[in-house]
Every structure is written in structure tokens, then in C-alpha cells.
Amino acid sequence: MAFKPRIESKELKILRILNTRMELTADEKKHYFNLKKGYEGEVQFDLLTEQLQNKCYILNDLLLKAGNTSFQNDTVILFQETIHLFEVKNYEYDLIFKTNRLESFSGKEYQNPLDQLNRNTLLLRQLLQNMGYNIPIKGYVIFINPEFTLYQSPPNEPIIHPTQLKKFMKKLNSQPSKLSNKHKLLAEKLVSLHQVESTYTVLPTYSFERMRKGLTCEICNSFEVSISVSGGKMSCNDCGSEEEVESAILRCVEEIKLLFPDKKITTNCVFEWCGGAVSKKKINRLLTKKFKRMGQGKYSYYVSE
Ligand SMILES: [Zn+2]
């Protein structure tokens, strides 16, 4: 179990809803899919680090600041003698390694992840030194996607290719490591320094009125869902997954809260967001059960308890 688990960023959550409920521009879509793919790759890597049996502290998705410079670390693992820093890349299309960049076969340029890794290593070292720690840092770029090939990859750089991952994790697992209270304190300190919200997020403009309304599938985001005769279950006509209607409504409430933090949660607005698929009576009952009611009658709204 990770000492600091990875959670989906607010930006990714919001973009997923926007992509489902409105038409994003080509650039916005591309940005969303890149974020989504990056996150999925990191989650894939988490599945591997979770299997480590030796003593270590795993800190996922750590946004730190050294001086005035922020730096995002996909995975940081504290062992007894070293700190391992990982930059995870989920490219699926093959790329060619060039001195200061990666390039696709059509000539499109990508940032060299080694540069990013070196920058992060430098900043983390600086931060640790300022905190009075002098622990060696080992950094690696992980190419997680099994279908990816990096051509002309220099063998002496700390790059782990998909075909090397299994062996690499085995090696990581075999290094002896004992942890003391000192390590725990450092892990806690780093988590406490994590910057919660990145300030440079630019979201597409959106409004409640212009968003497509309706219940959506939890798994594939499709609007093609049917509610059972009894009204308790919802099933997706596209992927076949099933969900309690109540849980689908509560997801709608979470969507409204995330997208419109200033909006009051009322029976009417949830009814509208659900596209009229469930009765106001049912929504009202659910909101009363799960939230705290404020105000009276027509003007009542609901807040988290
Ligand atoms: Zn579905």
C-alpha cells in the first residue's frame, strides 16, 4: 500500500465530464486524452510498485516546490539508503531518441524525458539538502506501455524499456532495505509539502445550461442507459455494466459540485442534470438521506454533512 496514494487530478475529472457532456475543441480533446493516458500509465506502474516486498515508502504523484520552482514527481520511493525517482511515460507509438528530444517517425518532436528527470532530480536534491538530508537520489524514466519501442535509445541512460520492466522490478525488490523512524519522518515531511492544486490549469469555458443532461454509464460514460422497471438498477446499453440508480444520481451530484462549486445543490438542478430520467420525488428522498438540508420548501438546498 502506497504511503501516499495516487488520486485523479481535479483537472482530469473535470475534463472527463466536459468531454462527455459537451463538444471540446480538437486541442482540448487532445489535452484531455494526453492527461488520461498519462494517468493510466502511472496507475499501471503503481500496480508494479505495490508488489514490492522490501521495506520502502511509496509516494505517488508528489508536487513539490524547491525555492520558487514547482516540480511534479510521478513516483518517489524511499529505501533505506536511496531515494528512487520515477518519470513514467505511457507512449504507445514508437519514437526515436535524439540528443535533446524524442521524435516520432513523422517528425513530431517530444520533450526528452531524461531532461525532465534530471531537472526533477536536481530540484529534489536541493529540497532535501535544504531540509538537512543528504540521501543519494536515483532517477529512472519508465516506458510503461508494452507496445512502445524507443529507437536508438542510449544504453547507458537510466531508461527502463517495457521489456526490461519485469527484471528491473525484481532487482528493486531484491535490494536490502530497513526503515527507521527517520525514514518515516522524511516520508511524512514530503507528503506535507505536497502542493494540492496546480495553479496553471486552464479549463475550457462551460456553463450548466449548455451541458448535455442525462444519466451516464460509470464505466464508458455513455448516455445510452436504461433504468430497470423497479427503478433500482441502471444498465448500459453500450458496455453492459450495471449500477444502482442511486449511485448514478450521486455521481451526478458530484459532477455538479465539481464543475460548479458555487452552485446550490437543489432537487431541481439534480433533476435537470439527470435529464429527467428519475422523478423529483426519488431525487429529493436521496438528497435528504445523504446530505444536510438547508432552508425551507422551495428554497431548500443540500450540503455535505
Ligand atoms: Zn457503459
Side-chain angles (χ1 to χ4, degrees):
M1 175 70 184
F3 191 75
K4 178 186 177 299
R6 186 181 309 282
I7 51 165
E8 249 186 339
S9 70
K10 211 165 152 184
E11 183 184 16
L12 179 53
K13 280 186 190 158
I14 290 178
L15 283 173
R16 175 175 299 116
I17 305 169
L18 296 185
N19 185 53
T20 303
R21 296 188 180 269
M22 67 184 264
E23 200 56 53
L24 295 179
T25 66
D27 279 346
E28 289 163 351
K29 251 191 183 137
K30 205 174 118 197
H31 176 59
Y32 162 58
F33 284 114
N34 281 339
L35 269 188
K36 179 170 169 280
K37 225 172 92 190
Y39 179 74
E40 285 166 356
E42 289 158 15
V43 169
Q44 283 302 313
F45 187 55
D46 294 347
L47 294 177
L48 299 178
T49 59
E50 276 163 19
Q51 287 171 28
L52 289 172
Q53 300 289 318
N54 51 354
K55 294 269 181 285
C56 59
Y57 286 114
I58 303 171
L59 312 178
N60 292 323
D61 191 23
L62 209 50
L63 180 61
L64 297 172
K65 220 170 174 183
N68 282 323
T69 317
S70 295
F71 60 110
Q72 167 75 38
N73 305 281
D74 291 341
T75 304
V76 175
I77 304 185
L78 269 64
F79 290 104
Q80 183 182 354
E81 306 281 354
T82 50
I83 292 186
H84 281 55
L85 188 59
F86 299 96
E87 180 63 41
V88 182
K89 292 288 169 203
N90 192 16
Y91 297 127
E92 59 186 332
Y93 300 109
D94 296 347
L95 296 173
I96 311 160
F97 189 94
K98 304 270 165 124
T99 347
N100 48 8
R101 61 183 188 278
L102 304 185
E103 217 175 273
S104 73
F105 280 87
S106 61
K108 202 178 153 205
E109 293 184 5
Y110 294 79
Q111 195 191 12
N112 186 340
L114 285 172
D115 292 343
Q116 216 172 325
L117 180 72
N118 290 337
R119 176 182 177 270
N120 283 6
T121 309
L122 204 78
L123 288 165
L124 182 61
R125 183 170 299 130
Q126 199 180 317
L127 177 70
L128 288 169
Q129 275 168 357
N130 288 344
M131 284 157 57
Y133 289 91
N134 201 358
I135 311 171
I137 302 171
K138 284 187 182 174
Y140 297 92
V141 171
I142 304 282
F143 288 109
I144 193 81
N145 199 307
E147 311 213 348
F148 173 76
T149 302
L150 181 63
Y151 287 84
Q152 295 166 22
S153 176
N156 299 329
E157 295 288 357
I159 296 173
I160 308 299
H161 300 278
T163 48
Q164 299 174 313
L165 254 174
K166 210 171 155 187
K167 210 188 266 176
F168 176 75
M169 293 311 293
K170 227 171 158 177
K171 198 175 141 203
L172 214 55
N173 198 30
S174 68
Q175 66 173 21
S177 179
K178 274 189 193 145
L179 298 177
S180 66
N181 202 37
K182 206 179 77 186
H183 297 94
K184 189 169 183 220
L185 283 176
L186 176 58
E188 282 170 350
K189 181 78 187 154
L190 287 173
V191 172
S192 77
L193 291 174
H194 173 65
Q195 317 270 311
V196 178
E197 221 35 69
S198 57
T199 45
Y200 39 78
T201 306
V202 182
L203 287 168
T205 44
Y206 58 87
S207 69
F208 188 92
E209 290 69 30
R210 291 174 65 182
M211 216 64 85
R212 183 171 170 191
K213 311 297 194 301
L215 291 171
T216 56
C217 169
E218 181 186 24
I219 304 299
C220 73
N221 302 317
S222 170
F223 282 94
E224 299 300 317
V225 291
S226 324
I227 294 177
S228 64
V229 184
S230 68
K233 280 231 175 338
M234 184 182 90
S235 61
C236 175
N237 304 339
D238 281 336
C239 76
S241 77
E242 285 198 343
E243 188 186 6
E244 300 287 332
V245 170
E246 285 199 349
S247 124
I249 300 170
L250 290 173
R251 275 195 297 112
C252 282
V253 176
E254 289 311 311
E255 288 183 359
I256 302 170
K257 280 165 73 175
L258 192 63
L259 260 52
F260 310 99
D262 297 330
K263 198 172 173 67
K264 286 197 167 89
I265 300 295
T266 63
T267 302
N268 276 336
C269 93
V270 177
F271 175 77
E272 198 186 332
W273 194 256
C274 295
V278 271
S279 69
K280 285 188 186 176
K281 203 173 139 192
K282 191 181 175 94
I283 291 171
N284 199 3
R285 214 183 313 136
L286 182 63
L287 291 176
T288 309
K289 194 165 90 184
K290 296 283 180 185
F291 298 92
K292 193 175 162 203
R293 186 163 152 171
M294 310 289 281
Q296 283 301 313
K298 218 170 103 178
Y299 299 103
S300 62
Y301 60 96
Y302 297 84
V303 294
S304 301
E305 295 212 58

